[in-house]
């Protein structure tokens, strides 16, 4: 579905934010991307929907090249993006109008638009704020509305750039659950975050450092690697504890527990 | 000396059909020198409450006083510093030095006195003198936040209010920020943090307060918080695991925050001293 061939990008001359990256993403995959601040995560996903254009190499989304001017609208229809700080993307006077903006531009009927607005606002739990101005919402509520705006477009691919950074743990969990549901329905997900614990359910976990992809594998396998810490990422405390319990042979190191529930289960078997 | 909040209520869009209560009859006090965490779900009134403590917002009923003075009194502005959400956006000057010096120079400090204020702020926040002449916009996100913090500290405030000081930072920069705040507290500054992700900061705090729909849901020490039945309980994953293990019958304690302690406790509970498994 998505193909990056030797893609490079720099914001300042000779300072590569992305350095010859090649990557293939299949339809329906859930791809998690992690890495320290400035490792190139956000740059990578902005290249996918053509917000940034490659300086070298090419980016292809369902047969369309992002460099091709005639393709860019087609790509944007397929690929929705939820940003870290949605503050600047609000345009409507009310939350409902804001969510309606995307579907209106798709040329849908009035009934369809209203239906999509209500469904997506209910999905993120913001329906009661439909007639409120987006400006009076808190940071986390804005992030939920931004997600609803993308859902209303019913895209085949959603790119998330730290979409839960402004949400409390309960709200993050709700949004993640929603994302998993979308994934189950066949939507392709590319999800960038600092919080590795959100990525343990991904089909593939990609770790970036200094503009390159340094790991790309199944999360459980990757989190068990000896050298995973060399990439400058921090492991979630539960996974660090699991790894140490395994390396000290307290629990059998055959299958690394990667969530609290799994670790709990492994430890209870020992009691 | 303290911050006293009594029967504070506040609503947005007052007098319109969209009127929404943000704070309802909130009362509490913060003693000088404390490290306080204010948590709660998105939209529970945390930021609204914080903005009352330096007089940015005025109560619709009730009162807020700082060291006996009404929070609306301009004298308290230099006593109470505020670091906003996304503080990078507060930066504007050509150099790090000018940015930090802005507030003290604004109220009339000059020459050596001004330099003293800036040096004090840079020392406290651990900013290396070598970057004082570079543009704040060439720094990393974590460093920019420290510069914004130094800009607030240059006023030598006695109370420091911080709105989501760690959000959007990677784990390395988050722990740098928290370490700096703990050092500020050691130098006598009262630290008041609002965050929706309080779990990783619990072990730093002396007092924890949870808000729920504009009312106080819990107030107490970290230890009391762990054992509380607060509906908005947010514990670090490690602490939750230890609580679950204890409930399942393992002989471990629940007030554990670090991986090292958890590992020790679990090994002690499962293994003999010589490393063999208990039968």
């Amino acid at each position: 579905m998505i193909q990056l061939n030797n893609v490079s990008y720099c914001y300042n001359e000779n300072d590569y934010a992305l350095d010859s990256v090649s990557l293939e993403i299949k339809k329906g995959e859930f791809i998690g991307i992690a890495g320290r601040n400035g490792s190139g995560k956000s740059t990578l996903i902005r290249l996918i929907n053509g917000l940034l254009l490659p300086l070298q190499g090419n980016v292809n989304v369902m047969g369309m090249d992002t460099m091709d001017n005639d393709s860019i609208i087609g790509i944007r229809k397929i690929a929705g993006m939820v940003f870290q700080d949605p503050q600047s993307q609000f345009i409507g006077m009310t939350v409902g109008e804001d969510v309606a903006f995307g579907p209106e531009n798709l040329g849908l009927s009035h009934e369809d638009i209203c239906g999509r607005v209500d469904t997506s606002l209910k999905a993120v739990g913001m329906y009661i704020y439909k007639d409120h101005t987006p400006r009076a919402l808190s940071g986390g509520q804005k992030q939920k509305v931004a997600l609803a705006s993308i859902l209303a477009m019913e895209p085949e691919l959603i790119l998330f750039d730290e979409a839960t950074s402004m949400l409390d743990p309960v709200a993050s969990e709700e949004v993640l659950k929603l994302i998993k549901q979308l994934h189950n329905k066949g939507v392709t997900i590319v999800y960038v975050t600092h919080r590795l614990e959100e990525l343990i359910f991904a089909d593939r976990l990609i770790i970036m450092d200094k503009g390159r992809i340094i790991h790309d594998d199944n999360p459980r396998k990757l989190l068990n690697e000896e050298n995973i810490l060399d990439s400058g990422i921090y492991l979630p405390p539960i996974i660090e504890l699991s790894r140490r319990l395994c390396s000290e042979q307290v629990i059998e190191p055959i299958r690394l527990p990667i969530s609290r529930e799994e670790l709990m289960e492994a430890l209870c078997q020992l009691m | 000396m303290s911050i006293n909040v009594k029967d504070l209520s506040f609503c947005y869009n007052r007098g319109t059909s969209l009127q929404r209560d943000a704070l309802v009859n909130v009362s509490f006090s913060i003693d000088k020198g404390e490290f306080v965490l204010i948590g709660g779900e998105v939209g529970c009134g945390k930021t609204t409450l914080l903005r009352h403590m330096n007089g940015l917002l005025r109560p619709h009923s009730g009162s807020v006083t700082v060291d006996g003075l009404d929070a609306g009194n301009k004298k308290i502005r230099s006593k109470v510093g505020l670091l906003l959400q996304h503080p990078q956006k507060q930066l504007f000057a050509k150099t790090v030095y000018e940015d930090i010096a802005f507030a003290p120079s604004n109220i009339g400090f000059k020459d050596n006195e001004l330099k003293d204020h800036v040096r004090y702020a840079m020392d406290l926040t651990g900013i290396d003198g070598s970057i004082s002449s570079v543009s704040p916009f060439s720094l990393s996100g974590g460093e920019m936040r420290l510069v914004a913090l130094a800009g607030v500290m240059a006023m030598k405030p006695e109370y420091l209010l911080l709105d989501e000081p760690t959000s959007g930072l990677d784990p390395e920069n988050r722990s740098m920020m928290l370490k700096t705040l703990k050092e500020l507290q050691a130098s006598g500054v009262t630290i008041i943090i609002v965050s929706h992700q309080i779990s990783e900061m619990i072990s730093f705090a002396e007092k924890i307060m949870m808000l729920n729909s504009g009312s106080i849901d819990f107030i107490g020490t970290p230890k009391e918080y762990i054992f509380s039945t607060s509906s908005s309980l947010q514990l670090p994953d490690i602490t939750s695991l230890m609580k679950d293990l204890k409930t399942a019958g393992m002989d471990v304690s629940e007030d554990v925050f670090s991986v090292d302690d958890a590992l020790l406790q679990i090994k002690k509970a499962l293994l003999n001293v010589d490393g063999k498994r208990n039968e």
Side-chain angles (χ1 to χ4, degrees):
Chain A
M1 181 182 200
I2 303 168
Q3 250 180 331
L4 281 81
N5 299 313
N6 290 314
V7 173
S8 295
Y9 187 84
C10 40
Y11 297 95
N12 302 311
E13 220 174 320
N14 289 326
D15 187 6
Y16 282 90
L18 213 61
D19 192 357
S20 300
V21 168
S22 293
L23 174 68
E24 196 185 328
I25 297 173
K26 294 195 187 69
K27 195 166 166 54
E29 273 192 309
F30 187 142
I31 308 283
I33 305 180
R36 61 181 124 196
N37 281 356
S39 59
K41 310 182 290 291
S42 299
T43 307
L44 177 69
I45 63 169
R46 282 171 163 74
L47 280 154
I48 293 177
N49 76 340
L51 268 185
L52 298 175
L53 296 174
L55 288 181
Q56 281 156 32
N58 62 67
V59 181
N60 202 291
V61 180
M62 295 189 73
M64 293 178 281
D65 193 312
T66 56
M67 288 292 269
D68 182 359
N69 261 336
D70 298 332
S71 297
I72 205 76
I73 303 239
I75 292 174
R76 296 270 167 82
K77 270 186 193 165
I78 295 169
M81 185 153 176
V82 183
F83 293 92
Q84 178 177 8
D85 180 9
Q87 195 98 1
S88 40
Q89 71 189 65
F90 289 118
I91 38 148
M93 289 292 285
T94 68
V95 167
E97 272 178 41
D98 206 87
V99 176
F101 179 75
E104 275 166 8
N105 278 304
L106 292 179
L108 300 175
S109 72
H110 181 71
E111 288 74 37
D112 273 357
I113 294 171
C114 293
R116 284 194 185 192
V117 169
D118 291 1
T119 312
S120 46
L121 278 175
K122 278 176 188 157
V124 298
M126 289 297 291
Y127 184 68
I128 51 165
Y129 291 95
K130 189 178 164 188
D131 298 323
H132 287 232
T133 160
R135 291 181 207 296
L137 300 177
S138 77
Q141 289 168 330
K142 282 178 185 158
Q143 219 159 10
K144 288 184 178 179
V145 173
L147 178 58
S149 310
I150 298 300
L151 293 182
M153 302 277 286
E154 299 184 354
E156 293 174 56
L157 160 71
I158 309 183
L159 309 163
F160 291 92
D161 192 3
E162 292 194 41
T164 57
S165 68
M166 288 298 289
L167 298 176
D168 60 73
V170 179
S172 301
E173 225 164 88
E174 283 166 12
V175 169
L176 265 176
K177 220 169 109 190
L178 193 70
I179 295 171
K180 278 181 215 157
Q181 282 168 11
L182 290 168
H183 174 229
N184 289 338
K185 280 189 202 154
V187 179
T188 310
I189 308 281
V190 181
Y191 191 93
V192 167
T193 181
H194 286 311
R195 298 187 201 151
L196 269 180
E197 54 267 47
E198 296 182 338
L199 298 178
I200 53 176
F201 305 101
D203 297 318
R204 277 157 68 193
L205 173 56
I206 290 175
I207 310 279
M208 297 193 64
D209 194 26
K210 301 189 181 99
R212 290 168 180 268
I213 291 178
I214 52 168
H215 293 285
D216 178 355
D217 212 332
N218 165 276
R220 189 185 306 276
K221 201 163 151 241
L222 197 48
L223 292 168
N224 214 357
E225 297 274 339
E226 284 284 326
N227 63 355
I228 184 80
L229 293 173
D230 299 347
S231 54
I233 60 159
Y234 275 64
L235 291 177
I238 288 288
I239 292 172
E240 197 191 329
L241 181 61
S242 285
R243 281 167 59 105
R244 288 174 65 181
L245 286 166
C246 281
S247 74
E248 299 198 18
Q249 312 266 317
V250 180
I251 50 180
E252 303 280 338
I254 307 160
R255 187 172 177 270
L256 179 79
I258 52 175
S259 68
R260 202 174 92 210
E261 291 72 23
E262 286 186 12
L263 181 55
M264 184 70 194
E265 206 186 309
L267 286 170
C268 281
Q269 278 171 9
L270 298 176
M271 286 197 316
Chain B
M1 301 305 247
S2 58
I3 295 183
N4 273 300
V5 174
K6 205 162 176 280
D7 300 326
L8 168 63
S9 294
F10 183 84
C11 57
Y12 287 104
N13 301 322
R14 198 185 192 191
T16 73
S17 61
L18 295 177
Q19 178 162 332
R20 186 168 64 90
D21 286 334
L23 294 171
V24 184
N25 279 329
V26 172
S27 297
F28 63 94
S29 67
I30 292 171
D31 291 330
K32 194 145 221 180
E34 276 190 313
F35 195 115
V36 182
L37 280 182
I38 302 175
E41 287 181 15
V42 157
C44 70
K46 307 183 293 285
T47 299
T48 308
L49 177 60
L50 199 71
R51 289 179 177 197
H52 276 89
M53 290 192 234
N54 75 338
L56 267 187
L57 293 176
R58 306 290 304 129
H60 288 152
S61 67
S63 67
V64 181
T65 61
V66 178
D67 293 350
L69 288 172
D70 185 87
N73 189 320
K74 280 211 173 133
K75 279 187 194 145
I76 71 122
R77 284 287 169 93
S78 57
K79 246 184 212 287
V80 187
L82 169 66
L83 194 68
L84 300 167
Q85 267 178 51
H86 305 294
Q88 298 88 313
K89 292 181 183 164
Q90 297 178 214
L91 301 173
F92 66 97
K94 269 191 286 211
T95 68
V96 166
Y97 183 92
E98 282 174 44
D99 216 301
I100 299 173
F102 176 74
S105 69
N106 231 359
I107 56 167
F109 286 109
K110 283 196 193 81
D111 307 325
N112 280 337
E113 243 181 340
L114 182 61
K115 272 188 194 149
D116 278 349
H117 273 77
V118 176
R119 195 169 303 127
Y120 163 84
M122 288 178 73
D123 283 350
L124 267 184
T125 46
I127 294 173
D128 188 7
S130 66
I131 64 163
S132 65
S133 57
V134 309
S135 161
F137 301 103
S138 67
L139 303 174
S140 77
E143 288 170 326
M144 277 162 83
R145 231 174 255 218
L146 282 183
V147 171
L149 175 61
V152 175
M153 290 314 297
M155 294 291 284
K156 301 192 178 179
E158 296 163 45
Y159 298 89
L160 180 60
L161 313 173
L162 304 110
D163 197 352
E164 304 285 1
T166 60
S167 96
L169 294 180
D170 64 19
E172 191 176 354
N173 283 312
R174 282 209 297 271
S175 67
M176 175 168 84
M177 179 56 112
L178 285 171
K179 216 177 113 231
T180 306
L181 294 178
K182 201 66 196 166
E183 279 162 16
L184 285 182
Q185 186 204 11
S187 75
V189 182
T190 309
I191 307 286
I192 303 162
I193 296 178
V194 153
S195 173
H196 60 265
Q197 279 281 3
I198 67 158
S199 58
E200 65 179 4
M201 302 186 228
I202 287 176
S203 55
F204 288 84
E206 270 118 36
K207 184 182 277 173
I208 292 174
M209 200 163 102
M210 298 301 287
L211 289 180
N212 191 357
S213 307
S215 302
I216 295 181
D217 187 54
F218 170 87
I219 186 159
T221 63
K223 204 162 178 167
E224 285 164 352
Y225 179 66
I226 293 174
F227 295 110
S228 81
T229 52
S230 160
S231 60
S232 41
L233 195 63
Q234 288 175 20
L235 292 178
D237 275 342
I238 288 286
T239 316
S240 298
L241 176 78
M242 300 305 271
K243 272 185 100 161
D244 291 348
L245 285 173
K246 175 111 183 171
T247 312
M250 196 183 279
D251 183 20
V252 291
S253 54
E254 295 152 285
D255 51 340
V256 170
F257 299 105
S258 73
V259 172
D260 288 337
D261 286 347
L263 187 69
L264 267 176
Q265 292 259 349
I266 292 172
K267 275 164 67 181
K268 213 172 83 189
L270 287 175
L271 307 173
N272 281 323
V273 202
D274 55 3
K276 292 228 181 68
R277 210 161 273 174
N278 280 325
E279 293 306 327

